[in-house]
Amino acid sequence: LNVLEAALEKGAKKVVVTSSGTAIMFGGADKPVKNEDDWSDESKCPPYPKSKVKAERAAWKFYEDHKDKIEVTVVNPGLVMGPVFTKHENSSESLFSDILTGVLPGVLEEAKWGPVDVRDVAEAHYRAMFYEGTNGKRYICVPGESTTMIDMLQTLKKELAQDGSKINDKITTPEEIMASESQAGKRMVLMSKNRGSIAKMSNERSLQELKMVYTPINQT
């Protein structure tokens, strides 16, 4: 709200808000494929996605109150991965560094995500800002494919084994991960506890209106 209020005060024409797919996909037993009309059920959300729901709803309320003065579009990416600019890790990158350094004790079998390349997320923001007809809309930003943690580790193993990396792909338990030093792993466990209520998300709007072409996950 501080950013939106400042943009309004300074006469900005439009703001593109970065939300999250987690504001859409929790509580999906009744609808296996979610789209931009859907919202996560806060009662089924861990704290992180609950915060995303509350923040995005606040942004939309702001828009409704001021849409005669400013445009707003929201991008809802999946698990953002790919190259980084800084050494400061976010939860996505720290998960991989924990895997590569052995901090994570193994693989959580039920962990499954909809990863998206960070460069695609940046492109979606650019197109959401400048393409016609995007005002007042949300855009799910995912390639349309989900992948398991096991699949991701197998890809890492195949690509990095020649460099001497030893990827630990042992199947482990949520309890073992919670007892480890991996904060990213602990967040993963909390998210995976709700896997039965997580729905897939449709990227149809981003394909049709933003003309997105997504990067294959193995390339990311």
Side-chain angles (χ1 to χ4, degrees), residues 24-29 31-34 195-201:
I24 291 173
M25 66 186 184
F26 277 86
K31 189 176 180 182
V33 180
K34 296 284 192 82
R195 67 190 176 93
S197 64
I198 295 178
K200 292 181 180 179
M201 295 187 294

Side-chain angles (χ1 to χ4, degrees), residues 89-104 156 182 184:
E89 295 172 345
N90 64 29
S91 59
S92 305
E93 279 73 52
S94 60
L95 177 63
F96 285 98
S97 62
D98 285 356
I99 290 168
L100 295 171
T101 56
V103 175
L104 195 72
L156 288 173
S182 175

